């Protein structure tokens, strides 16, 4: 979730103490323990904080959007929101894709929230507009980050979202995307939350990638804090959201071989936030996942690999399936 602030200029198209604690993983991410042990046993080409996956090492760093989501000590880049919303005047263009009626997830509704929109950078005035997230006001959305070579977070999140949608539909789920690159900008973070709420989703996952400093690596899953302020009341969904996040984190480790973040989460791959509108305003179980740090060369090698993105989608999908099937 790159928390690149409104000042972020999209790059030109052709520019060229962390020892993860096994105890913490066992306690907070039961499913991740086995994958992390395997990771440590196999080793990582990137050394501490890196993992091996198709195309290279994996990891994540707080995206520029993550500046908003992570502790101040985390990433240098950006401002942020997590999920973005469109102005109320713009009709939503999201679509629902029903799964096969006979699959194990038949009757389940999953909303996938691809972070940012490829057109956001052309609409700075619109995405800079403040919206109410319960605990305060925040920008409608941000542009997202990119790799040093110009591969954007918006392109990454849509690609992973499409792969994830296909996997979940094969399980019989009905899948809705909050945006499919089919609108000029947004949606804003409050609308993204409303889309999941209106769908009565059984699970919502917001897909992002960080834009932090080089050397910050590893994925992390962001969980909603207990918030009760203004229009926000996450209390009923904190527990199920944590379960969803733990399932996703464990399966993401196992399938991708990626290590939990070496800069937030104390090696667990889990971070709790109370300043993200997409989480604060959700009335259904919802988490964010920062799949890797686009500003780190080793992570970027993974994020730009189609084979690795398929593994990322698979790991997220298996976490969702495990959560929905109990």
């Amino acid at each position: 979730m790159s928390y690149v602030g409104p000042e972020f200029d999209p790059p030109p198209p052709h520019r060229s103490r962390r020892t993860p604690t096994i105890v913490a993983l066992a306690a907070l991410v039961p499913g991740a323990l086995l994958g992390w042990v395997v990771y440590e046993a196999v080793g990582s080409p990137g050394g501490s904080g890196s993992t091996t996956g198709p195309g290279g090492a994996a990891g994540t760093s707080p995206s520029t959007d993550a500046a908003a989501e992570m502790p101040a000590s985390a990433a240098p880049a950006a401002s942020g929101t997590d999920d973005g919303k469109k102005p109320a005047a713009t009709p939503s263009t999201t679509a629902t894709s029903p799964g096969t009626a006979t699959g194990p997830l038949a009757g389940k509704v999953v909303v996938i929230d691809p972070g940012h929109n490829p057109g956001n950078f052309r609409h700075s005035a619109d995405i800079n507009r403040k919206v109410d997230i319960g605990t305060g006001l925040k920008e409608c959305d941000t542009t997202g980050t990119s790799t040093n070579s110009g591969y954007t977070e918006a392109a990454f999140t849509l690609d992973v979202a499409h792969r994830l949608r296909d996997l979940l539909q094969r399980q019989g789920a009905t899948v809705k995307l909050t945006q499919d690159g089919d609108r000029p900008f947004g949606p804003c973070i409050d609308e993204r939350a409303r889309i999941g709420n209106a769908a009565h989703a059984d699970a919502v996952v917001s897909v992002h990638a960080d834009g932090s400093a080089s050397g910050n690596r590893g994925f992390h899953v962001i969980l909603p804090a207990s918030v009760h302020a203004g229009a926000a009341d996450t209390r009923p969904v904190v527990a199920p959201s944590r379960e969803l996040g733990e399932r996703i984190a464990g399966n993401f480790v196992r399938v991708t071989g990626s290590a939990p973040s070496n800069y937030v989460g104390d090696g667990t791959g889990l971070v709790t936030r109370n300043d993200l509108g997409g989480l604060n305003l959700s009335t259904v179980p919802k988490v964010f996942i920062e799949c890797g740090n686009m500003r780190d060369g080793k992570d970027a090698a993974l994020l730009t690999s189609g084979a690795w993105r398929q593994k990322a989608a698979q790991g997220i999908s298996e976490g969702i399936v495990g959560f929905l099937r109990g």
Side-chain angles (χ1 to χ4, degrees):
M1 148 198 314
S2 156
Y3 287 86
V4 179
E7 75 284 2
F8 176 82
D9 292 322
H14 295 93
R15 276 191 321 147
S16 225
R17 107 211 147 142
R18 181 202 100 133
T19 25
T21 64
I22 298 300
V23 173
L25 285 173
L28 295 178
V29 191
L33 179 57
L34 179 58
W36 180 233
V37 171
V38 171
Y39 164 78
E40 290 285 22
V42 174
S44 156
S48 170
S50 66
T51 61
T52 303
T60 209
S61 124
S63 72
T64 358
D65 293 272
E69 65 186 359
M70 68 186 202
S73 61
S79 67
T81 39
D82 37 43
D83 42 32
K85 166 207 162 185
K86 71 177 189 203
T90 308
S92 175
T93 55
T94 58
T96 300
S97 303
T100 55
T102 56
L105 296 187
K108 299 295 186 180
V109 176
V110 178
V111 171
I112 305 170
D113 179 29
H116 313 290
N117 181 310
N120 276 0
F121 73 93
R122 299 188 189 93
H123 296 272
S124 58
D126 295 306
I127 66 170
N128 289 346
R129 179 176 64 85
K130 299 295 180 67
V131 297
D132 191 344
I133 65 168
T135 55
L137 298 177
K138 203 161 190 179
E139 290 82 3
C140 156
D141 200 359
T142 62
T143 58
T145 190
S146 73
T147 65
N148 293 332
S149 62
Y151 180 56
T152 67
E153 183 185 4
F156 170 81
T157 63
L158 273 178
D159 182 83
V160 173
H162 291 159
R163 295 169 188 268
L164 179 55
R165 176 184 60 193
D166 292 345
L167 291 168
L168 291 170
Q169 286 177 346
R170 288 175 202 156
Q171 297 286 322
T174 294
V175 181
K176 173 183 280 252
L177 269 62
T178 59
Q179 61 94 9
D180 201 2
D182 50 359
R183 55 189 297 159
F185 64 92
C188 293
I189 54 180
D190 53 343
E191 184 189 353
R192 289 182 187 245
R194 288 198 299 270
I195 290 169
N197 298 344
H200 302 289
D202 296 288
V204 183
V205 176
S206 189
V207 180
H208 289 268
D210 263 348
S212 186
S214 179
N216 286 342
R217 304 194 57 206
F219 78 92
H220 64 277
V221 177
I222 304 174
L223 314 174
S226 181
V227 174
H228 186 211
D233 186 359
T234 63
R235 293 173 298 175
V237 298
V238 165
S241 294
R242 172 167 282 275
E243 181 184 350
L244 172 62
E246 290 176 348
R247 297 265 191 173
I248 289 175
N251 282 280
F252 200 82
V253 166
R254 182 177 58 79
V255 176
T256 68
S258 293
S261 169
N262 66 359
Y263 55 93
V264 291
D266 297 322
T268 66
L270 300 174
V271 177
T272 299
R273 298 275 305 271
N274 66 1
D275 61 337
L276 300 182
L279 296 182
N280 285 2
L281 300 175
S282 182
T283 59
V284 295
K286 182 175 182 178
V287 300
F288 279 52
I289 181 167
E290 295 283 358
C291 297
N293 178 17
M294 299 195 108
R295 295 295 186 171
D296 178 83
K298 291 175 181 177
D299 274 10
L302 295 180
L303 298 167
T304 55
S305 163
W308 188 87
R309 292 195 299 272
Q310 185 64 31
K311 290 196 171 224
Q314 183 72 39
I316 298 169
S317 171
E318 291 188 14
I320 294 171
V321 171
F323 170 73
L324 294 180
R325 299 191 71 181

